[in-house]
Amino acid sequence: MTSTVKTTDRIPVKEALCEESIGKKVKICGWVRTRRDSKAGFSFIELNDGSSFNSIQVVAPKELDNYESEILNAGIGSSLEILGEVVESPGKGQATEVKADSVKVLGFADPKEYPLQKKGTSFEFLRTIGHLRPRTNTFGAVARVRNEICRAIHEFFQSRGFVYVHTPIITGSDCEGAGQMFKVTTFDLDDVPRKEKSNEIDFEQDFFGRQTNLTVSGQLEAEIYATALSNVYTFGPTFRAENSNTSRHLSEFWMIEPEMAFCDLEGDMDVAEAFLKHIFSSVLKNCPDDMNFFNQRIDKTVIETLTAIVESDFHRLSYTEAIEILEKSGESFEFPVKWGIDLQSEHERYLTEKKFKKPVIVYDYPREIKAFYMRLNEDGKTVRAMDVLVPKVGEIIGGSQREERLDVLKERMIDCDLNPEEYWWYLDLRRYGTVPHAGFGLGLERTVQFVTGMANIRDVIPFPRAPKTADF
Ligand code: ATP
Ligand code: MN
């Protein structure tokens, strides 16, 4: 078999799908999604390499040397290398197809054993084959949209002069107040050294000479850099050892935390709103095929919802106003509403889905339910916190203006049973050239969930970590 292909370089299927490729001799590679053999002596192979949602149709004529021996045995899941010409496709729904001059089977997949058959692949089942699920339409689309979101996040901050700061994953601050932590140790768990007198665990003998954990947030460290470089952001993994088996919680998730010096709560809300709009409009613009799929097959409202958000202003209201609205709503909530409660998911969803039908920013929360570092308001009862709530997901961003007054911060720490001495470096930031500053945290997976309409957070991260779940 003689090939007239000049290009030795593989091009992505995405490129072969473009009309501009018509007439070109190309090499493409990928995995078989389906194969159909016609009586007229052709096989039609849908080939996908993950570069785009759509597969390309490869037409393999029976004249090929290995037609009977190999091509007719290359079923779903097999990997192929094709040399051929991109031609206009007579079929509907695709501009191009590839007329194969040669089809090389790189690896067969036994169709009787291959776990990803066309039908019967629920998301629950796919979680048990985390090594193969990225080959499905849904998980390929999730991976590409997640990638686009990350790209847009960096673009947003980089184009505004924010410096990307890497905060540590192993941290020595024991209680940042954001949730339970995973311990990091090299102790032999069968023989943990203890102090002689008190019988307490002797962490001085541990690897770091002190107790260490996996981080729950990079915020405090980001504040260090913000009080030197003005505008910074972190983007990294964070860990929560909470036993929450919900569709919105993971034990390991990625968080983006901008921190801005010389910025108050209004500025913080402005950045949060512009940031979300930038992410959503980037995905709508750059992932049209993937988004059409989510809109057709996962949630028929995602495109409409994202478009509306990009075009409208978020509704901002204080916690106190939110409580009044909830009290007057006439809804029967599972958790009763009264001033001082932490808003539950049902309350958040009422505000954003029913009352305002758009993203909502709630600010000035009671001090008792928020972290020590949030700036105390003049009323002495509330702090300059803000949460951005979106339909279905609820809280997607949590942020605040930070307490920059040394004396007030110390008092708040003591109130919250924290030892100011352990936070000596955090307090130094207020001791030496303190400035008003603010920031927020966006959960990456909640964002991917919201954008794609995927119901379970375990399906928007490649390898989910959750209670009793750490396979793959
Ligand atoms: P929630 O009340 O939903 O548990 P939180 O108040 O614990 O959230 P923060 O500590 O403010 O959340 O974290 C900042 C952001 O990180 C949240 O707005 C959310 O988007 C995300 N997030 C928090 N916990 C998780 C988790 N367990 N899994 C995935 N994302 C999370
Ligand atoms: Mn939480």
PDB file of all heavy atoms in Angstrom, residues 273 277 308-316 356 358-361:
ATOM      1  N   GLU A 273     -17.611  39.944  40.943  1.00  0.00           N
ATOM      2  CA  GLU A 273     -18.640  39.921  39.895  1.00  0.00           C
ATOM      3  C   GLU A 273     -18.001  39.939  38.499  1.00  0.00           C
ATOM      4  O   GLU A 273     -18.366  39.131  37.624  1.00  0.00           O
ATOM      5  CB  GLU A 273     -19.582  41.124  40.074  1.00  0.00           C
ATOM      6  CG  GLU A 273     -20.672  41.166  39.030  1.00  0.00           C
ATOM      7  CD  GLU A 273     -21.794  42.169  39.338  1.00  0.00           C
ATOM      8  OE1 GLU A 273     -21.950  42.597  40.507  1.00  0.00           O
ATOM      9  OE2 GLU A 273     -22.516  42.519  38.388  1.00  0.00           O
ATOM     10  N   LYS A 277     -18.124  36.842  35.629  1.00  0.00           N
ATOM     11  CA  LYS A 277     -18.615  37.153  34.278  1.00  0.00           C
ATOM     12  C   LYS A 277     -17.559  36.828  33.230  1.00  0.00           C
ATOM     13  O   LYS A 277     -17.871  36.314  32.158  1.00  0.00           O
ATOM     14  CB  LYS A 277     -19.011  38.630  34.183  1.00  0.00           C
ATOM     15  CG  LYS A 277     -20.333  38.924  34.882  1.00  0.00           C
ATOM     16  CD  LYS A 277     -20.686  40.400  34.812  1.00  0.00           C
ATOM     17  CE  LYS A 277     -22.069  40.623  35.392  1.00  0.00           C
ATOM     18  NZ  LYS A 277     -22.375  42.050  35.548  1.00  0.00           N
ATOM     19  N   ALA A 308     -27.420  35.149  30.635  1.00  0.00           N
ATOM     20  CA  ALA A 308     -28.113  36.176  31.422  1.00  0.00           C
ATOM     21  C   ALA A 308     -27.193  36.758  32.486  1.00  0.00           C
ATOM     22  O   ALA A 308     -27.186  37.969  32.727  1.00  0.00           O
ATOM     23  CB  ALA A 308     -29.362  35.585  32.068  1.00  0.00           C
ATOM     24  N   ILE A 309     -26.386  35.905  33.103  1.00  0.00           N
ATOM     25  CA  ILE A 309     -25.483  36.384  34.156  1.00  0.00           C
ATOM     26  C   ILE A 309     -24.445  37.347  33.587  1.00  0.00           C
ATOM     27  O   ILE A 309     -24.155  38.396  34.172  1.00  0.00           O
ATOM     28  CB  ILE A 309     -24.778  35.196  34.840  1.00  0.00           C
ATOM     29  CG1 ILE A 309     -25.794  34.400  35.657  1.00  0.00           C
ATOM     30  CG2 ILE A 309     -23.634  35.680  35.729  1.00  0.00           C
ATOM     31  CD1 ILE A 309     -25.243  33.173  36.315  1.00  0.00           C
ATOM     32  N   VAL A 310     -23.906  36.999  32.434  1.00  0.00           N
ATOM     33  CA  VAL A 310     -22.881  37.848  31.826  1.00  0.00           C
ATOM     34  C   VAL A 310     -23.457  39.220  31.517  1.00  0.00           C
ATOM     35  O   VAL A 310     -22.776  40.240  31.607  1.00  0.00           O
ATOM     36  CB  VAL A 310     -22.332  37.173  30.544  1.00  0.00           C
ATOM     37  CG1 VAL A 310     -21.435  38.119  29.774  1.00  0.00           C
ATOM     38  CG2 VAL A 310     -21.574  35.890  30.903  1.00  0.00           C
ATOM     39  N   GLU A 311     -24.754  39.243  31.183  1.00  0.00           N
ATOM     40  CA  GLU A 311     -25.351  40.499  30.734  1.00  0.00           C
ATOM     41  C   GLU A 311     -26.009  41.341  31.829  1.00  0.00           C
ATOM     42  O   GLU A 311     -26.371  42.480  31.590  1.00  0.00           O
ATOM     43  CB  GLU A 311     -26.385  40.202  29.623  1.00  0.00           C
ATOM     44  CG  GLU A 311     -25.684  39.840  28.313  1.00  0.00           C
ATOM     45  CD  GLU A 311     -26.606  39.173  27.318  1.00  0.00           C
ATOM     46  OE1 GLU A 311     -27.816  39.060  27.603  1.00  0.00           O
ATOM     47  OE2 GLU A 311     -26.103  38.753  26.247  1.00  0.00           O
ATOM     48  N   SER A 312     -26.202  40.753  33.030  1.00  0.00           N
ATOM     49  CA  SER A 312     -26.931  41.540  34.031  1.00  0.00           C
ATOM     50  C   SER A 312     -26.088  41.774  35.281  1.00  0.00           C
ATOM     51  O   SER A 312     -25.047  41.156  35.473  1.00  0.00           O
ATOM     52  CB  SER A 312     -28.224  40.821  34.417  1.00  0.00           C
ATOM     53  OG  SER A 312     -27.910  39.699  35.202  1.00  0.00           O
ATOM     54  N   ASP A 313     -26.551  42.685  36.132  1.00  0.00           N
ATOM     55  CA  ASP A 313     -25.833  42.970  37.371  1.00  0.00           C
ATOM     56  C   ASP A 313     -26.279  42.015  38.459  1.00  0.00           C
ATOM     57  O   ASP A 313     -27.450  41.653  38.536  1.00  0.00           O
ATOM     58  CB  ASP A 313     -26.123  44.402  37.822  1.00  0.00           C
ATOM     59  CG  ASP A 313     -25.503  45.417  36.867  1.00  0.00           C
ATOM     60  OD1 ASP A 313     -24.524  45.045  36.189  1.00  0.00           O
ATOM     61  OD2 ASP A 313     -25.999  46.548  36.799  1.00  0.00           O
ATOM     62  N   PHE A 314     -25.351  41.633  39.306  1.00  0.00           N
ATOM     63  CA  PHE A 314     -25.701  40.792  40.447  1.00  0.00           C
ATOM     64  C   PHE A 314     -26.511  41.634  41.438  1.00  0.00           C
ATOM     65  O   PHE A 314     -26.294  42.838  41.556  1.00  0.00           O
ATOM     66  CB  PHE A 314     -24.441  40.265  41.152  1.00  0.00           C
ATOM     67  CG  PHE A 314     -23.624  39.300  40.323  1.00  0.00           C
ATOM     68  CD1 PHE A 314     -23.885  39.089  38.971  1.00  0.00           C
ATOM     69  CD2 PHE A 314     -22.570  38.596  40.903  1.00  0.00           C
ATOM     70  CE1 PHE A 314     -23.112  38.205  38.212  1.00  0.00           C
ATOM     71  CE2 PHE A 314     -21.796  37.708  40.156  1.00  0.00           C
ATOM     72  CZ  PHE A 314     -22.066  37.509  38.818  1.00  0.00           C
ATOM     73  N   HIS A 315     -27.424  40.971  42.152  1.00  0.00           N
ATOM     74  CA  HIS A 315     -28.175  41.717  43.157  1.00  0.00           C
ATOM     75  C   HIS A 315     -27.406  41.694  44.482  1.00  0.00           C
ATOM     76  O   HIS A 315     -27.015  40.635  44.955  1.00  0.00           O
ATOM     77  CB  HIS A 315     -29.568  41.112  43.351  1.00  0.00           C
ATOM     78  CG  HIS A 315     -30.432  41.971  44.216  1.00  0.00           C
ATOM     79  ND1 HIS A 315     -31.155  43.036  43.722  1.00  0.00           N
ATOM     80  CD2 HIS A 315     -30.644  41.967  45.550  1.00  0.00           C
ATOM     81  CE1 HIS A 315     -31.785  43.629  44.717  1.00  0.00           C
ATOM     82  NE2 HIS A 315     -31.495  43.004  45.830  1.00  0.00           N
ATOM     83  N   ARG A 316     -27.196  42.873  45.059  1.00  0.00           N
ATOM     84  CA  ARG A 316     -26.463  42.942  46.329  1.00  0.00           C
ATOM     85  C   ARG A 316     -27.396  43.347  47.458  1.00  0.00           C
ATOM     86  O   ARG A 316     -28.150  44.313  47.315  1.00  0.00           O
ATOM     87  CB  ARG A 316     -25.327  43.960  46.218  1.00  0.00           C
ATOM     88  CG  ARG A 316     -24.339  43.606  45.118  1.00  0.00           C
ATOM     89  CD  ARG A 316     -23.181  44.585  45.045  1.00  0.00           C
ATOM     90  NE  ARG A 316     -22.369  44.294  43.854  1.00  0.00           N
ATOM     91  CZ  ARG A 316     -21.229  44.904  43.556  1.00  0.00           C
ATOM     92  NH1 ARG A 316     -20.765  45.843  44.356  1.00  0.00           N
ATOM     93  NH2 ARG A 316     -20.560  44.576  42.464  1.00  0.00           N
ATOM     94  N   PHE A 356     -34.673  36.519  43.426  1.00  0.00           N
ATOM     95  CA  PHE A 356     -34.029  37.459  42.509  1.00  0.00           C
ATOM     96  C   PHE A 356     -33.747  36.871  41.132  1.00  0.00           C
ATOM     97  O   PHE A 356     -33.496  37.597  40.184  1.00  0.00           O
ATOM     98  CB  PHE A 356     -32.748  38.016  43.133  1.00  0.00           C
ATOM     99  CG  PHE A 356     -33.011  38.815  44.386  1.00  0.00           C
ATOM    100  CD1 PHE A 356     -32.682  38.312  45.635  1.00  0.00           C
ATOM    101  CD2 PHE A 356     -33.626  40.057  44.305  1.00  0.00           C
ATOM    102  CE1 PHE A 356     -32.950  39.040  46.788  1.00  0.00           C
ATOM    103  CE2 PHE A 356     -33.890  40.799  45.454  1.00  0.00           C
ATOM    104  CZ  PHE A 356     -33.560  40.286  46.703  1.00  0.00           C
ATOM    105  N   LYS A 358     -31.223  35.548  39.821  1.00  0.00           N
ATOM    106  CA  LYS A 358     -29.898  35.915  39.312  1.00  0.00           C
ATOM    107  C   LYS A 358     -28.910  35.754  40.460  1.00  0.00           C
ATOM    108  O   LYS A 358     -29.314  35.534  41.596  1.00  0.00           O
ATOM    109  CB  LYS A 358     -29.896  37.343  38.770  1.00  0.00           C
ATOM    110  CG  LYS A 358     -30.431  38.387  39.749  1.00  0.00           C
ATOM    111  CD  LYS A 358     -29.884  39.758  39.494  1.00  0.00           C
ATOM    112  CE  LYS A 358     -30.640  40.572  38.463  1.00  0.00           C
ATOM    113  NZ  LYS A 358     -30.172  41.969  38.432  1.00  0.00           N
ATOM    114  N   PRO A 359     -27.619  35.880  40.164  1.00  0.00           N
ATOM    115  CA  PRO A 359     -26.660  35.786  41.267  1.00  0.00           C
ATOM    116  C   PRO A 359     -26.889  36.886  42.295  1.00  0.00           C
ATOM    117  O   PRO A 359     -27.273  38.007  41.944  1.00  0.00           O
ATOM    118  CB  PRO A 359     -25.308  35.963  40.572  1.00  0.00           C
ATOM    119  CG  PRO A 359     -25.538  35.541  39.172  1.00  0.00           C
ATOM    120  CD  PRO A 359     -26.942  35.973  38.854  1.00  0.00           C
ATOM    121  N   VAL A 360     -26.673  36.536  43.540  1.00  0.00           N
ATOM    122  CA  VAL A 360     -26.933  37.440  44.639  1.00  0.00           C
ATOM    123  C   VAL A 360     -25.661  37.542  45.477  1.00  0.00           C
ATOM    124  O   VAL A 360     -24.987  36.536  45.696  1.00  0.00           O
ATOM    125  CB  VAL A 360     -28.090  36.870  45.498  1.00  0.00           C
ATOM    126  CG1 VAL A 360     -28.220  37.625  46.812  1.00  0.00           C
ATOM    127  CG2 VAL A 360     -29.404  36.899  44.719  1.00  0.00           C
ATOM    128  N   ILE A 361     -25.334  38.768  45.903  1.00  0.00           N
ATOM    129  CA  ILE A 361     -24.222  38.913  46.849  1.00  0.00           C
ATOM    130  C   ILE A 361     -24.794  39.372  48.188  1.00  0.00           C
ATOM    131  O   ILE A 361     -25.414  40.436  48.270  1.00  0.00           O
ATOM    132  CB  ILE A 361     -23.165  39.931  46.367  1.00  0.00           C
ATOM    133  CG1 ILE A 361     -22.731  39.629  44.920  1.00  0.00           C
ATOM    134  CG2 ILE A 361     -21.956  39.917  47.300  1.00  0.00           C
ATOM    135  CD1 ILE A 361     -21.607  40.523  44.409  1.00  0.00           C
TER     136      ILE A 361
END
